[in-house]
């Protein structure tokens, strides 16, 4: 297979994860890494221009901080390159819609990293919906809970609206939950009612910045108080386009949960429950027979999900493998060895921003709000 | 210790459970059982009168169907006897307030069976709140999920508003969840926003009635369609009197969950998670050290919770023991060996009805609703 | 139903548990408790004689320390009463065989408290063997682990061979494991190879005695060193009468396990795994389909096991309910309402002592040893 | 960092896993794959010679079937290349000792893939032993259970002694268990007593060969009966060089377990329990305080284990990451960026074969057997 050459802009927690996942594919070569920081100083901007002018690079991963996503994805597409963006796609739905339109016009392949879709057992849940094994969807519930912003002394650029957006917990991790549940159910969230809460209304900002997820190990010696306006905690009720309903909770202040995306999907034939912190097992609930605990075992999975399980049963796969699965699909499509867009695209990124907008509007108005996709 | 003589009115699933739990105490003698059915025919009413006239009986357990609770509790108190009521206390808050007032006037001891409070690890969670181990309460979430009304062919008197009330899932099991979380946190729910859904808008009613929880084993040969107005499924957001917030989900149509009262309570020092289907363990989450899995082991529990654990660590106790613990507290108070009202009373029963009223009003108006206690 | 009158000799941890369990049946009246202590002083002996002379008492529970079991059971039977003995049945197989013979001669009903058999899900495992659902038995493994003798400062009469016997961990809890696995599989252990270890070769004995399981809470101020000869820890290999084999581990020095009887039984059609510390769920393993997690739910159990589950699915039952189930069977047989000896008898007690003998002999000789039943 | 060039001989399940893991490192280039099959026909042998003559290749991964390991590792070392062997190191201890000696003489870097050591939480257990957190080792127990050879119709070259060796279950997976427990405890197994059983004494061999772990999905149409002499199931008792003891069970016929390496290590300060099928959590048991459930979270791990955790807490890592960690250590040493041999070497491979020899001898003689390292 022809080697595809790629580059990456932005280096935080997720940039190196992309690099490693791409290497595993065996037919992608990471040519260059280009740092991008919030200031994007002139010298950096020049370096970016050079990078995008590199003819060898066919694909660019946009792993910059949130507020740069829009501008940099535009530049990538303007350079005629395929683009794999981190989420959120942009800061507003106006921007994200523009990116969707630009991608269509440019004819470039566009993808967004909703990586939790790519776990074998998330795919199995979708396969169960598609095959009718789950039956009609009765309701969907769940949560996404973390503790990396648990303390008032935890600080990160995601706490600052100009870098991260007006919504924090919902936009950052709630969007993953929504993407997962919509992907599995095949249904769109059309209405929301949201209650957003800021648990630490003032946080102590350390003088030097702290990386996402790694902050816990630092002992900052010096802080300044900063008022916080974005939510630490949210409860969101929603309705799907078929009238089924559900809810989810998001918290970044739940001690002991590190990155727990959890869902409970109730159907008319069975239920499925999955916890990202134990990703190799799915609970399947029945009324008339014993519940099941399905392991990630290729020999037990549907054909669809088996394609996401690269190791035998009892050889657990996890977070890095989800990202590999995502890139495998995107790059196989780029390489032409896959003819199907079986990955999350800019449209999905736009959809999540539209839900976030509705969440913010609902919380403000304290009313149900229709999602304007 | 002097033997206390008691009687019980009503025999469904819960009546015999009361009898068995009371027997375990060793100082309570169950003198008589009096059946009560929805029709309460004249002959039955006469029998009830005789029963209540029995001078030997000091305490009466009201285990009748919901719509009879109010009237029968009134009669019990009018006969000067102590009363232990099943929940709900009554059908409306007007009735429940009247019962609270009558109990105060009659000077009788009054209790209501919110049995989930009486698990050792629920008491331990409360002890952690009281001692400051949990810290400030950040938020509370959870669910109460079941599958005994999963199928459109499942039928029970609880589906009929005149017997069970205007709310079903929230009133029947959501009330347990609210009682637990209020008991543990020591906070009152003051505002709610609710979304109620009827999954089976038409159900098939069998010609003969089916007992709660046992219906699954029957094969009714003959059904008639009945329109259902009460909720199978609900999502409720709430605010505590200290401004902390939370949410819970109730479903009676979740395949594979039998009676899963589940809560996640996030505090500023740690979190606690408990699942009634695995009642001998409590998960305690921390940010800076490993999470804990506390077993029901008297030697590891606080003094408060230890009083609820009658068997050593590794000797699990469960549902029947919760009910025993409840009755032990009520009867010890009646016997005078305990001087503390450390059990749920009519006031708690009234409070849950007030929350239900607010839930129904909120769902109707699609607005946040203040609870009128 | 006629009330059966019973008495109990011996009050430690288990005596009151018998009393409570018997009360739950509703047709058993506990007339008297007779204390028995290791010294069995003259005055005590006289009191015992009076007790056994009481004509009203039909059944006696022998809940004395191990070394008194033999003599007191003999006296009970000599008094013409039915006997329910705690385990071990006696101190030696000579004694236990004598008791089996005496019981037959006396024509009294005899039972021994192997209480773990009486959990609904243990019965379900047996039902699966009987119905062929498990298939041929491939092998059986497991453990019984505790921590109540974890520290060198933990002391109890069970550490003293004259009161407890030559084997400790195997005799005390290993015997439960063997009884369970033989009961479920329907197979007899015919050969063993054992390795016994004393982890604390010297223990510190407090001046006053400490109750089983409750020792952890005491702070003994004064100890004396005592040499310990019985095993804290054992590994036993065994062979069943059909040639299948297995092994189990027993430890009383495993921090964090309180009373974990655990087995893994592999059959040719599926496997079953059960943990007494989570008694309401049984894992069932399959090769060609998802594993199952069967809950104790009467509507999902076999007819056999359903008779042991008195509360609906999701209403967990636990240790005290196992003991209740045991006594229910014994007393129903005594009352004549059951015609089947579906409970553990003196013969089972003798069998466990025979296995213990073989274990001790094997450990001594470091060879496989045939069990002489 | 300078790129290291490597090649791989042998392509079964594990060859591609090595390739993928090596790619993740970013400084290893896989130049060539050389197939090796049991026949090793002349043309293959020539191709192998060419491969080994390639000057660019510095390192060779020996991923051939067991019976070729010895000869091919010798050739690799004779060609002056570093060698990373799959386990077992050879077919006999004579061979494995020769390889250890040859490696020393040749001065090449030698490694063997005991991949389970390289999970972060296995490293954490070792760190706990080293730091004294676990205290003295009381005992070690566990099992390694699988179901890929569950049915009499399951076939694989590992069933044939000439390709796989005289021991099967113990050599194939029991060796992993022993390596893990010796690595963690820092103790050597010096004596064993073993009981080996062949559950399917005759198996049905399909006409075409089936890959390890993937056999379940095939539907072989044609079989021939073959007598099986190697063990499906084993129970092994052992003693460490410090006198502590333990046991483990191995089964390849346990329905529902796919690849469950499980250990319970009891120390004088706490216990640790780990299950490879849920690799991101370790249970830590205590007597005097609640048990812990430690997640793979770099911020909660010791410095040692943190180096094995590349993703933040709540981002689970699993089987492929263990293999990556192994190769990262080997290649860092080869590259000179690490100065420590912190990986399993040929000596470890020899040690496991010595244990296997003792296991076979013990089972034969039905006696305790000293391991001759």
């Amino acid at each position: 297979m022809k080697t595809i050459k790629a580059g990456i802009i932005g280096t935080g927690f997720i940039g190196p994860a992309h690099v490693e996942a791409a290497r595993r594919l065996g037919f992608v070569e990471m040519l260059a890494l280009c740092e991008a920081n919030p200031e994007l100083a002139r010298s950096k901007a020049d370096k970016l221009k050079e990078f995008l002018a590199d003819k060898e690079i066919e694909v660019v991963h946009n792993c910059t901080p949130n507020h740069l996503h829009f501008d940099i994805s535009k530049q990538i597409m303007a350079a005629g390159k395929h683009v794999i963006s981190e989420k959120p796609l942009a800061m507003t739905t106006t921007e994200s819609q523009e990116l969707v339109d630009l991608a269509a016009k440019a004819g470039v392949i566009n993808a967004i990293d909703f990586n939790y879709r790519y776990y074998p057992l998330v795919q199995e849940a979708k396969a169960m919906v598609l095959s009718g094994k789950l039956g009609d969807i009765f309701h969907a519930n769940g949560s996404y809970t973390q503790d990396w912003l648990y303390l008032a002394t935890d600080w990160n650029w995601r706490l600052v609206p100009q870098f991260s957006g007006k919504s924090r917990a919902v936009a950052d991790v709630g969007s993953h939950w929504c993407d997962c549940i919509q992907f599995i159910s095949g249904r769109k969230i059309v209405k929301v009612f949201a209650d957003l809460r800021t648990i630490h209304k003032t946080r102590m900002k350390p003088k030097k910045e702290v990386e996402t997820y790694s902050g816990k190990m630092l002992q900052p010696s010096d802080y300044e108080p900063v008022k916080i306006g974005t939510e630490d905690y949210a409860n969101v009720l929603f309705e799907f386009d078929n009238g089924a309903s559900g809810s989810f909770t998001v918290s970044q202040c739940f001690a002991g949960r590190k990155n727990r995306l959890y869902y409970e999907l109730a159907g008319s034939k069975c239920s499925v429950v999955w916890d990202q912190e134990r990703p190799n097992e799915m609970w399947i609930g029945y009324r008339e027979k014993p519940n099941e605990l399905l392991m990630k075992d290729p020999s037990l999975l549907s054909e669809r999900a088996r394609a996401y399980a690269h190791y035998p049963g009892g050889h657990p796969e996890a977070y890095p493998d989800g990202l590999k699965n995502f890139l495998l699909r995107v790059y196989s499509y780029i390489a032409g060895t896959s003819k199907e867009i079986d990955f999350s695209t800019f449209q999905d990124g736009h959809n999540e921003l539209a839900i976030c907008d509705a969440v913010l509007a609902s919380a403000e108005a304290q009313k149900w709000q229709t999602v304007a996709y």
Side-chain angles (χ1 to χ4, degrees), chain A residues 152-168:
Chain A
T153 50
D154 293 321
W155 186 261
N156 185 272
W157 61 263
R158 289 178 194 270
L159 292 160
V160 184
Q162 28 311 24
F163 300 145
S164 188
K166 273 187 255 179
S167 160
R168 176 169 30 100

Side-chain angles (χ1 to χ4, degrees), chain A residues 253-265:
Chain A
C253 294
F254 192 99
R257 301 295 195 199
K258 306 309 170 188
N259 193 44
R260 188 173 183 259
L261 190 170
Y262 174 83
Y263 56 75
E264 302 193 324
L265 182 58

Side-chain angles (χ1 to χ4, degrees), chain A residues 7-22 30 36 59-74 76-77 82-92 95-96 99 109-118 144 157-158 163-164 171-173 175-176 179 212-213 259 319-320 322-324 326-327 330-331 344-353:
Chain A
I8 197 159
I9 305 173
T11 56
F13 150 64
I14 205 67
H18 279 243
V19 172
E20 186 184 37
M30 277 290 165
V59 187
V60 180
H61 295 239
N62 182 357
C63 296
T64 58
N66 297 359
H67 70 297
L68 302 179
H69 287 174
F70 173 64
D71 183 54
I72 286 180
S73 284
K74 279 209 299 187
I76 295 167
M77 293 194 287
H82 305 305
V83 57
I84 298 172
S85 179
E86 260 307 314
K87 47 152 284 286
L89 187 55
M91 296 288 272
T92 68
E95 288 176 358
S96 61
L99 290 177
I109 293 164
N110 58 93
I112 186 162
D113 180 23
F114 285 118
N115 54 295
Y116 297 109
R117 282 192 192 187
Y118 304 96
Y144 201 132
W157 61 263
R158 289 178 194 270
F163 300 145
S164 188
D172 191 19
V173 294
S175 58
H176 277 297
D179 182 71
T212 305
Y213 289 116
N259 193 44
Y319 182 85
L323 196 47
K324 176 184 88 170
F326 167 56
L327 295 186
V330 178
Y331 277 102
S344 35
T345 65
F346 278 15
Q347 182 64 51
D348 298 301
H350 171 71
N351 292 350
E352 291 313 319
L353 282 170

Side-chain angles (χ1 to χ4, degrees), chain A residues 21-36:
Chain A
R23 277 179 186 150
R24 297 172 77 173
L25 306 186
F27 63 98
V28 175
E29 193 182 342
M30 277 290 165
L31 283 193
L33 254 104
C34 173
E35 207 186 313

